[in-house]
Amino acid sequence: MKAGYFQFKPAFCKPEKNIEKINTALKDKDFDLIVLPELANSGYFFSSFDEVESASEEIPSGKFCKALRVISDEKNCAVIAGICEKAGDKYYNSSVLIMPGKDIITYRKIHLFYEEKKWFAESDTPFSVHSFSNKRVNDVKIGMMICFDWIFPESARTLALKGAQIICHPSNLVLPYCQDAMVTRALENRVFTITANRTGIDTNREGKELSFTGMSEIVNPKGKILHRGTIEDDEVVILDINPEEALDKNVNSFNNAFTDRKEEFYFK
Amino acid sequence: MKAGYFQFKPAFCKPEKNIEKINTALKDKDFDLIVLPELANSGYFFSSFDEVESASEEIPSGKFCKALRVISDEKNCAVIAGICEKAGDKYYNSSVLIMPGKDIITYRKIHLFYEEKKWFAESDTPFSVHSFSNKRVNDVKIGMMICFDWIFPESARTLALKGAQIICHPSNLVLPYCQDAMVTRALENRVFTITANRTGIDTNREGKELSFTGMSEIVNPKGKILHRGTIEDDEVVILDINPEEALDKNVNSFNNAFTDRKEEFYFK
């Protein structure tokens, strides 16, 4: 199947501009699965709830969701994107999974990073895995996590144990460790990982800057980096991958990443 | 405290020779904690139970344990070493922790790798953490795991949750992934890791070869590689580390590697 990411710098609090950017970048591309960065509608570095409010939207009625729905329908593909979500009087750092003919699936980030705890509510959605089929692929299991979830090994492990073949990982990474760590996440769980990071710098109202590390990444179930992106460029990267490789949990003829787990010895 | 490893190539099925090598290498060194490779008394690539028997010994009465006890007493230090253990009619791939004035502590490898499953019995010892004190350090918590335990994130996680500040990791690594993955293990758990790998090639009776990857490694709780050894050389590496750094589980002023864990969302 054709799977990949669009790495870019979301315009801060300008959802329409981000929709336009996404539409332009993906218009002539062919893919079955695309992953966009965390908070792809809004940008990242908020200074007030007014800013969060101005960039957020409800799922599924918001314009960002509707634009992604059009892409999904037209290309008969799965779209995963980070989104600044409004729900009642709360905001969530979420990602949506949009597939043709299906309701939008929402995952709300379980491990909030740094000042995100000021703006976003605690997650009430589990780590979840969803089946995707189209003309080219049948019943591929897609797992959802967001950015800082990576540092807790339980995140990817939970998704893998629930059957994920491809972990889709919208990110806004500011630390330099995750890209290397995702090799370990892929390898220990024998899954594909697609980390869609953003680029550029966000400056908040007080003039503080956050610089994002780009280098979006696709890793295979043997821990091979199939592609690592640039630090600064906008880029759409689509690779041919075989998700069935993630069904084989054998490390060698004696070892299996799942059946060799010795739960009786863990966490006591 | 002064902590490190001795990386070398154990002579196959020649425990006396390995004892001599260890004694010679450590004689003039000063340290509080030293980690030796997996199966440091025996070598690795067995072809028969006769070979395993010839290289194994009982804990604590065997000559390898007695030699390590002398080092521990003379230097007032903790010694951790991989050992081919005989217990009744079983053999274990174990590591021992030897501290002055204390009974020897044995950990039997929980995740056996490849043909080890032919020779060694399943572990009946938990992941365990033990307090070490001497004239320089007070109550440093040492966690024990062996080689392939690394690929299961639950191993290091369990040790860290049990309070380990330094994960001591005797290894005989043949795959090239572990050294990078241990950076993630240190970082996700905010602990020191000391991976003592072996070097060289073992050839079994059928002429099959296994080549070991060296590059023993010490990583700090922020995921910084303090030292990575050579691929082929014998080397004793001792660093000054402050184990109290591993008591601080804060990632930043908003995030903590332990208290941010959301167990209610894991593994269901």
Side-chain angles (χ1 to χ4, degrees), chain B residues 223-268:
Chain B
K224 183 178 177 194
I225 298 173
L226 300 179
H227 186 88
R228 182 178 280 187
T230 64
I231 294 174
E232 295 186 327
D233 300 333
D234 286 11
E235 55 183 27
V236 178
V237 172
I238 309 288
L239 302 182
D240 269 305
I241 64 170
N242 179 2
E244 290 192 7
E245 291 172 19
L247 299 175
D248 178 9
K249 302 300 178 188
N250 289 325
V251 179
N252 56 54
S253 53
F254 286 83
N255 291 110
N256 182 287
F258 279 12
T259 58
D260 278 351
R261 292 178 73 241
K262 305 286 184 189
E263 292 193 29
E264 65 274 27
F265 289 114
Y266 300 159
F267 311 119
K268 276 169 211 158

Side-chain angles (χ1 to χ4, degrees), chain B residues 9 25 29 91-92 101 138 178 180 191 195 213 247 256-258:
Chain B
K9 179 192 171 181
K29 300 292 195 295
Y91 305 98
Y92 293 95
N138 183 44
C178 174
D180 287 343
V191 294
T195 298
T213 55
L247 299 175
N256 182 287
F258 279 12

Side-chain angles (χ1 to χ4, degrees), chain A residues 35-39 80-83 93-97 105-111 123 125-130 142-160 164 166-173 178-179 181-186 188-189 191-197 217, chain B residues 188 265-266:
Chain A
V35 187
L36 308 182
E38 182 182 12
L39 297 173
I80 294 217
I83 179 171
N93 182 340
S94 298
S95 79
V96 286
L97 168 56
I105 291 154
T106 304
Y107 162 71
R108 292 167 171 164
K109 188 176 185 179
I110 287 177
H111 304 97
S123 178
T125 58
F127 287 112
S128 64
V129 173
H130 307 278
I142 294 172
M144 302 170 78
M145 68 183 211
I146 300 175
C147 203
F148 191 58
D149 286 331
W150 75 266
I151 207 172
F152 299 86
E154 295 88 352
S155 307
R157 187 58 126 196
T158 299
L159 291 169
I166 307 174
I167 291 180
C168 295
H169 184 212
S171 294
N172 280 188
L173 296 162
C178 174
Q179 288 89 342
M182 290 308 291
V183 174
T184 302
R185 297 290 174 251
E188 68 199 9
N189 293 300
V191 295
F192 288 92
T193 62
I194 302 177
T195 299
N197 195 18
E217 194 176 71
Chain B
E188 68 200 10
F265 289 114
Y266 300 159

